[in-house]
């Protein structure tokens, strides 16, 4: 869990807070897209932290791009993603 500034918000954003919501993609591209869509549709997220697996990140990134939802990823290393 993130323990930094647990009881404080983002000062420059009127003390807004960030909630992390997890969904498991199981390393599967179709499951990753389904999980990302559920995060947006059911949980109301405004951004996605993508998968470790490049194949999953690639399809999730495209699906979320089509929906206008930003995707951030620091783990996938496929040349098409970097």
């Amino acid at each position: 869990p993130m323990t930094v500034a647990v009881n404080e918000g983002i000062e420059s954003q009127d003390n807004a807070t960030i909630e992390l919501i997890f969904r498991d993609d199981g390393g599967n591209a179709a499951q990753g897209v389904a999980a990302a869509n559920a995060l947006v549709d059911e949980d109301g997220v405004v951004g996605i932290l993508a998968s470790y697996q490049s194949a999953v990140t690639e399809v999730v990134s495209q699906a979320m791009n089509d929906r206008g939802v930003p995707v951030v990823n620091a783990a996938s290393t496929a040349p098409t993603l970097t």
Side-chain angles (χ1 to χ4, degrees):
M2 291 181 65
T3 57
V4 176
V6 169
N7 297 317
E8 300 175 23
I10 303 167
E11 191 173 318
S12 66
Q13 299 296 316
D14 202 23
N15 293 319
T17 58
I18 296 173
E19 178 183 3
L20 298 178
I21 301 171
F22 298 89
R23 296 246 181 185
D24 186 5
D25 63 32
N28 176 281
Q31 190 172 329
V33 172
N37 281 323
L39 284 166
V40 174
D41 296 335
E42 298 170 23
D43 299 312
V45 304
V46 296
I48 302 283
L49 297 175
S51 180
Y52 174 79
Q53 293 87 358
S54 295
V56 177
T57 297
E58 189 166 16
V59 296
V60 167
S61 295
Q62 183 59 56
M64 294 299 100
N65 183 64
D66 292 346
R67 296 187 66 175
V69 177
V71 174
V72 176
N73 183 277
S76 298
T77 58
T80 57
L81 299 171
T82 59

